[in-house]
């Protein structure tokens, strides 16, 4: 049984948009946590925003459907790396808030 190849680009665009939305929510929560603290917290918050901006650009390009995805396209690895970095920065913010 094969799927409808006509719907696959739409599903891909929607998946990239969901990824961008999830990253945005995490970023807003991390920045909110960062702004309640001191200078190191603000620096962590700025790092979160920079990583989010880079991931958002990659997600936006893919969700806009700017051509077919080439083999070896850096979009997926870059968003995966940005997600991991955001998670580590968020953990650092939470741990900083505990002390």
């Amino acid at each position: 049984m094969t799927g409808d190849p006509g719907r696959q680009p739409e599903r891909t665009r929607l998946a990239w948009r969901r990824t961008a939305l999830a990253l945005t929510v995490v970023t807003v929560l991390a920045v909110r946590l960062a702004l309640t603290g001191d200078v190191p917290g603000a620096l962590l918050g700025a790092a979160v925003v920079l990583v989010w901006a880079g991931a958002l650009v990659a997600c936006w390009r893919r969700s806009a459907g700017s051509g077919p995805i080439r083999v070896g396209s850096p979009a997926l690895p870059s968003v995966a790396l940005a997600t991991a970095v955001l998670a580590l920065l968020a953990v650092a913010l939470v741990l900083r808030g505990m002390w």
Side-chain angles (χ1 to χ4, degrees):
M1 181 186 293
T2 61
D4 181 10
R7 294 289 185 183
Q8 191 273 332
E10 181 182 4
R11 288 191 303 266
T12 301
R13 281 192 301 275
L14 290 172
W16 280 107
R17 288 180 183 162
R18 284 190 304 270
T19 301
L21 179 62
L23 289 173
T24 301
V25 168
V26 169
T27 300
V28 167
L29 293 174
V31 167
R32 181 176 173 242
L33 183 62
L35 293 178
T36 62
D38 50 356
V39 173
L43 292 176
L44 282 173
V48 166
V49 170
L50 288 175
V51 171
W52 167 76
L56 194 63
V57 167
C59 288
W60 177 75
R61 285 183 180 164
R62 293 309 331 145
S63 71
S66 58
I69 297 176
R70 297 179 309 271
V71 174
S73 173
L76 185 60
S78 65
V79 171
L81 178 64
T83 302
V85 170
L86 280 174
L88 290 174
L89 289 170
V91 166
L93 282 169
V94 169
L95 292 176
R96 184 194 59 81
M98 290 180 159
W99 287 290

